[in-house]
């Protein structure tokens, strides 16, 4: 069975490795088909594709778009996209446009909570200043020795109800699905088990997503428990969505699952990659 991993992050967003390093690592870890899906960012794709091609790794161009749905942040992965699509490029520019100002507000909240210099501190970890996000702040707080790792930081800061959480309006669901479609790709709901929606809201989101042309849902992801693999396998089957698998790898010290290390998709699902693989 092919080892397919269609979700991970490079330095171009909030991962720790360059696109080249990730491609080599994916190959070493036994991945056969690999996608790079940086947050709201396409700039790593050309390098990732070139290195993947050199080492005989099938590459799928991807992106993970931040959206706001019913007041909460949701992530939509776009797969097999054309990264030269102007609609997608312009759309992502509008999403990223909000990150810098949000970063300033995060830093102000952290300063009030006793964490000084956080904006400059986080920027050191952001290869792209315009991609600045919570993971970069978390790395700075680890550097200060306040907590041992980024997961601990997220438990105490940066999430809803804690200092450093700034409510933010990202793209809409319709925009994200539309941009991905305009770029010839398939839209996938990322890590559905992570959203704090009740059943009615989740079903409504799924319904809108499919009406808009959304194609898939992540079933096996680094953010799900084994029970959730089964739960979202059922959702994929009953809704007719294609199933995806992705580690959501950011770096060895931060991610529970390395590239290619997750279990396979449960049987009887149609993989999102069914007509892409060589
Ligand atoms: P942002 O787009 O700036 O809001 O940052 C979102 C990113 O923060 C996610 O893609 C994860 O990499 C990271 N993140 C969010 N919540 C957590 C958490 N509870 N623990 C660790 N990392 C998290
Ligand atoms: Mn991330
Ligand atoms: Mn995500
Ligand atoms: Mn991700």
């Amino acid at each position: 069975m092919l080892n397919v991993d269609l979700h991970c992050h490079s330095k171009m967003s909030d991962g720790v490795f360059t696109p080249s390093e990730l491609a080599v690592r994916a190959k070493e870890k036994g991945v056969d088909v690999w996608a790079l899906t940086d947050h709201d960012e396409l700039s790593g794709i050309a390098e990732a594709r070139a290195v993947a091609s050199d080492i005989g790794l099938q590459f799928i161009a991807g992106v993970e778009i931040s959206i706001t749905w019913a007041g909460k942040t949701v992530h939509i992965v776009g797969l097999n996209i054309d990264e030269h699509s102007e609609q997608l490029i312009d759309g992502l520019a509008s999403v990223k446009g909000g990150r810098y100002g949000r970063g300033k507000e995060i830093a102000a909240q952290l300063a009030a909570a006793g964490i000084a210099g956080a904006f400059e501190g986080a920027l050191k970890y952001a290869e792209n200043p315009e991609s600045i996000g919570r993971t970069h702040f978390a790395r700075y707080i680890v550097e200060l020795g306040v907590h041992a790792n980024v997961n601990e930081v997220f438990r105490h800061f940066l999430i809803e109800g804690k200092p450093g959480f700034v409510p933010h309006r990202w793209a809409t669901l319709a925009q994200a699905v539309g941009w991905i479609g305009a770029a010839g790709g398939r839209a996938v709901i990322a890590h559905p088990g992570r959203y704090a929606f009740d059943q009615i809201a989740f079903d409504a989101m799924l319904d809108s997503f499919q009406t808009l042309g959304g194609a898939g849902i992540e079933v096996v992801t680094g953010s799900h428990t084994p029970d959730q693999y089964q739960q979202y396998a059922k959702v994929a089957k009953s809704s007719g969505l294609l199933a995806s698998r992705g580690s959501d790898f950011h770096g060895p010290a931060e991610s529970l699952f390395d590239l290619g290390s997750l279990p396979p998709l449960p049987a009887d699902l149609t993989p999102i990659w069914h007509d892409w693989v060589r």
Side-chain angles (χ1 to χ4, degrees), residues 14 39 75 99 102 133-135 151 154 159 170 194 250:
D14 62 355
H39 296 285
H75 288 168
R99 280 191 177 270
R102 168 183 177 254
R134 287 182 291 161
T135 309
N151 297 309
F154 271 97
I159 54 173
W170 303 104
R194 253 177 50 185
H250 286 68

Side-chain angles (χ1 to χ4, degrees), residues 5-216:
D5 190 328
L6 301 182
H7 189 150
C8 73
H9 299 274
S10 79
K11 269 188 170 175
M12 306 318 292
S13 63
D14 62 355
V16 302
F17 292 125
T18 64
S20 306
E21 289 165 342
L22 275 180
V24 169
R25 189 179 184 96
K27 183 76 180 177
E28 282 171 1
K29 298 287 177 184
V31 174
D32 300 298
V33 184
W34 171 61
L36 176 67
T37 56
D38 275 316
H39 296 285
D40 311 313
E41 182 63 55
L42 305 169
S43 57
I45 290 175
E47 179 185 322
R49 179 187 288 114
V51 175
S53 160
D54 285 348
I55 61 180
L57 170 65
Q58 185 176 348
F59 179 71
I60 306 281
V63 64
E64 181 175 20
I65 305 181
S66 315
I67 70 156
T68 304
W69 197 85
K72 293 191 191 301
T73 298
V74 168
H75 288 168
I76 303 293
V77 166
L79 293 174
N80 216 13
I81 49 164
D82 169 11
E83 76 272 24
H84 304 296
S85 159
E86 276 185 32
Q87 257 178 277
L88 179 60
I89 291 168
D90 292 350
L92 295 180
S94 72
V95 180
K96 277 182 291 190
R99 280 191 177 270
Y100 204 83
R102 168 183 177 254
K104 292 273 187 189
E105 286 185 54
I106 290 174
Q109 277 194 20
L110 290 175
I115 310 281
F119 192 76
E120 294 68 29
L123 264 188
K124 285 189 302 182
Y125 292 94
E127 189 85 9
N128 275 327
E130 64 168 359
S131 277
I132 189 166
R134 287 182 291 161
T135 309
H136 307 116
F137 284 93
R139 289 183 189 141
Y140 173 64
I141 294 170
V142 171
E143 176 195 317
L144 293 180
V146 177
H147 291 291
N149 58 59
V150 300
N151 297 309
E152 274 302 300
V153 173
F154 271 97
R155 286 186 48 219
H156 294 89
F157 298 97
L158 305 169
I159 54 173
E160 205 167 342
K162 303 286 181 185
F165 179 78
V166 174
H168 189 73
R169 194 162 270 270
W170 303 104
T172 66
L173 179 64
Q175 286 175 320
V177 175
W179 300 333
I180 292 164
R186 286 188 185 144
V188 176
I189 297 174
H191 40 65
R194 253 177 50 185
Y195 311 123
F197 290 128
D198 61 25
Q199 191 66 47
I200 290 173
F202 183 78
D203 289 348
M205 179 176 74
L206 217 64
D207 196 61
S208 300
F209 178 71
Q210 290 191 277
T211 302
L212 290 164

